[in-house]
């Protein structure tokens, strides 16, 4: 297999490059120093003060010392017609944009692709989107949504209820794939 990974933070990207080199995986891991989104662009990465896993994109420069401009690509443009089996997305609320930039990949690989993602309503709202959009994009492409640890599909009503009641730090790990006919 082959891994294609995206990391917009230059420091974390450098660490990933070194990790791949040390583990002798330069031929099987392709790294991109950019974020993924709906359209090619330049956005701003607000680096977390304590936790680098909490870096977040911004549409405009927040004007802080921990903010840097980053390149954004669409996954569809990077993978082209390549077969994709597994996608893991953890982008602190920017899932709508990422999924919009991979709609062709989603449709083309519907029979075998599984998408694991973090569903964080508070973060999605901070990114200027509605949590219902995340699920709508995937369902439009033919995917059903499941809790990662369950084989029971989540309904719109369950996701809506969760979105309303979820706290600022509460998220679900979800899995999207085509339900068996």
């Amino acid at each position: 297999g082959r891994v294609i990974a995206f990391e917009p933070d230059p420091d974390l990207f450098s660490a990933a490059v070194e990790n791949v080199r040390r583990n002798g995986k330069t031929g099987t891991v392709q790294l991109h120093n950019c974020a993924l989104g709906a359209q090619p662009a330049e956005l701003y990465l607000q680096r977390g003060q304590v936790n680098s896993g909490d870096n977040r994109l911004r549409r405009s420069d927040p004007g802080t010392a921990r903010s840097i401009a980053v390149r954004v690509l669409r996954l569809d443009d990077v993978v082209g017609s390549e077969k994709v089996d597994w996608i893991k997305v953890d982008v602190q609320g920017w899932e709508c944009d990422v999924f919009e930039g991979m709609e062709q990949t989603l449709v083309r690989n519907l029979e075998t692709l599984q998408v694991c993602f973090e569903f964080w309503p508070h973060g999605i709202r901070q990114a200027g989107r509605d949590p219902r959009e995340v699920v709508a994009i995937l369902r439009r492409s033919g995917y059903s949504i499941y809790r990662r640890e369950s084989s029971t599909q989540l309904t719109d009503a369950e996701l809506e209820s969760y979105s309303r009641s979820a706290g600022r730090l509460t998220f679900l790990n979800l899995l999207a794939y085509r339900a068996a006919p």
Side-chain angles (χ1 to χ4, degrees), residues 7 12 15 21-22 35 37-38 44 50 55 74-75 79 81 85-87 119 123-124 130 139 150 153 179:
E7 176 53 62
L12 295 177
R21 186 194 64 76
R22 282 186 183 182
Y44 296 89
V50 176
N55 292 346
R74 292 172 2 110
L75 182 68
V79 301
S81 61
D85 297 313
W86 176 261
I87 295 175
F119 182 70
I124 296 166
D130 184 316
R139 287 200 171 133
S150 171
Q153 286 187 45

Side-chain angles (χ1 to χ4, degrees), residues 11 21 25 44 59 73 76 82-83 86 102 133 148 173 179:
D11 296 337
R21 186 194 64 76
K25 299 297 180 185
Y44 296 89
R59 295 190 196 282
L73 300 175
D76 285 342
E82 194 169 337
K83 183 176 179 346
W86 176 261
M102 62 188 240
E133 290 180 84
R148 199 177 69 191
N173 285 310

Side-chain angles (χ1 to χ4, degrees), residues 23-44:
N23 287 286
K25 299 297 180 185
T26 56
T28 57
V29 177
Q30 179 183 24
L31 299 170
H32 295 269
N33 187 202
C34 65
L36 291 177
Q39 295 297 326
E42 182 177 275
L43 295 177
Y44 296 89

Side-chain angles (χ1 to χ4, degrees), residues 99-179:
F99 292 157
E100 287 172 346
M102 62 188 240
E103 285 181 311
Q104 294 167 0
T105 301
L106 289 169
V107 171
R108 192 179 62 256
N109 295 283
L110 177 61
E111 298 301 319
T112 58
L113 178 61
Q114 293 188 11
V115 180
C116 182
F117 65 101
E118 188 177 272
F119 182 70
W120 181 36
H122 177 77
I124 296 166
R125 288 185 197 99
Q126 279 193 317
R129 305 299 289 264
D130 184 316
R132 291 175 290 200
E133 290 180 84
V134 172
V135 173
I137 294 165
L138 292 166
R139 287 200 171 133
R140 260 195 323 267
S141 296
Y143 291 79
S144 299
I145 311 300
Y146 303 84
R147 286 184 187 265
R148 199 177 69 191
E149 65 280 353
S150 171
S151 61
T152 304
Q153 286 187 45
L154 285 169
T155 66
D156 287 337
E158 290 170 316
L159 287 165
E160 180 69 27
S161 174
Y162 177 80
S163 293
R164 279 194 312 274
S165 65
R168 191 175 84 71
L169 301 175
T170 308
F171 65 90
L172 291 174
N173 285 310
L174 299 179
L175 192 58
Y177 57 90
R178 182 173 187 227

